[in-house]
């Protein structure tokens, strides 16, 4: 009973409730990001997505799981997407910016080096998780908003200068209200009609 009561209290405090559309993100970490940075980046991306009305759940698919019940070996579920963390641009074919690219509708790639360079320019390596989390949220945004989803304001801006990085570091580089509504609708649609 105590557990039940704790859960209810936690739900009541949280802005994200059970009706919030959720996505599960399978993470393939080719860049070997340290666990501390990865956790911080995922927490920040989840915070940004929660502000847009989405619940994010992470599934680490970098470690080969020998057990028969490895969820990473299952076919993608309707509301699952793939996030690849990579060091550098291997080619420019899909590149839409310096910090990552997305192959709509299912696979997003984020350049870890972009976050590292941005933070090092400020001589502030502790900024890496927040910048990386913002990049991850941007690329997930591409998957859910479709092609040509850059915008003049907010996290979907094509280029980030100092101003946008500062906004990210103060927690204010976010999706617009309209983008949040579109992404919620897209996830609800996928739950009914998978995109693949
Ligand atoms: Zn972009």
């Amino acid at each position: 009973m105590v557990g039940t009561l704790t859960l209810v209290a936690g739900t009541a405090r949280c802005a994200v409730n059970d009706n919030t559309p959720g996505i599960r993100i399978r993470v393939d970490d080719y860049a070997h990001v340290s666990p501390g940075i990865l956790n911080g980046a995922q927490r920040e991306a989840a915070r940004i997505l929660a502000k847009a009305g989405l619940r994010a759940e992470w599934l680490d698919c970098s470690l080969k799981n020998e057990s028969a019940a490895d969820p990473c070996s299952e076919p993608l579920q309707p509301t699952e997407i793939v996030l690849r963390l990579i060091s550098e641009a291997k080619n420019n074919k899909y590149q839409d910016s310096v910090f990552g690219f997305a192959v709509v509708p299912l696979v997003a790639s984020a350049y870890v080096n972009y976050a590292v360079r941005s933070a090092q320019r400020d001589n502030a390596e502790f900024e890496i998780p927040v910048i990386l989390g913002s990049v991850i949220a941007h690329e997930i945004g591409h998957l859910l908003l479709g092609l040509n989803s850059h915008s003049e304001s907010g996290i979907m801006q094509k280029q980030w200068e100092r101003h946008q990085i500062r906004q990210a570091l103060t927690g204010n580089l976010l999706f617009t209200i309209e983008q949040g509504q579109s992404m919620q609708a897209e996830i609800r649609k996928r739950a009914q009609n998978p995109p693949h």
Side-chain angles (χ1 to χ4, degrees), residues 95-102 135 138-139 141-142 149-151 155-160:
Q95 192 170 358
D96 80 331
S97 74
V98 292
F99 40 74
F101 64 94
V135 168
H138 175 103
E139 297 305 329
H142 278 306
S149 43
H150 285 136
S151 56
I155 198 167
M156 292 311 291
Q157 288 172 90
K158 184 171 179 157
Q159 297 290 339
W160 295 355

Side-chain angles (χ1 to χ4, degrees), residues 10-171:
T11 306
R13 267 201 312 276
C14 188
V16 175
N17 61 39
D18 284 341
N19 294 325
T20 305
I23 42 169
R24 184 151 80 162
I25 302 142
R26 295 193 186 188
V27 182
D28 285 323
D29 176 15
Y30 298 103
H32 306 293
V33 179
S34 77
I37 288 176
L38 185 58
N39 285 339
Q42 289 177 345
R43 202 163 44 235
E44 179 64 9
R47 187 191 69 82
I48 293 167
L49 290 165
K51 289 264 186 192
L54 308 179
R55 183 168 39 79
E57 185 189 328
W58 306 92
L59 180 60
D60 182 1
C61 291
S62 301
L63 304 168
K64 271 285 150 264
N65 189 336
E66 298 301 327
S67 78
D70 178 10
C72 297
S73 65
E74 298 287 321
L76 274 187
Q77 298 300 302
T79 54
E80 280 188 328
I81 58 172
V82 175
L83 170 71
R84 300 160 73 240
L85 299 174
I86 53 184
S87 300
E88 291 281 9
K90 286 285 184 281
N91 64 56
N92 286 336
K93 194 173 168 198
Y94 300 110
Q95 192 170 358
D96 80 331
S97 74
V98 292
F99 40 74
F101 64 94
V103 182
V104 178
L106 289 175
V107 181
S109 297
Y111 300 138
V112 176
N113 284 18
Y114 171 84
V116 173
R117 276 198 306 275
S118 295
Q120 284 173 342
R121 207 173 303 134
D122 285 351
N123 221 354
E125 301 223 335
F126 60 87
E127 295 176 349
I128 294 172
V130 169
I131 298 174
L132 182 58
S134 302
V135 168
I136 290 169
H138 175 103
E139 297 305 329
I140 291 173
H142 278 306
L143 297 187
L144 299 177
L145 292 167
L147 298 171
N148 305 319
S149 43
H150 285 136
S151 56
E152 296 296 315
S153 64
I155 198 167
M156 292 311 291
Q157 288 172 90
K158 184 171 179 157
Q159 297 290 339
W160 295 355
E161 312 292 344
R162 283 195 96 75
H163 172 66
Q164 285 82 8
I165 296 292
R166 191 150 305 136
Q167 280 189 311
L169 294 170
T170 53

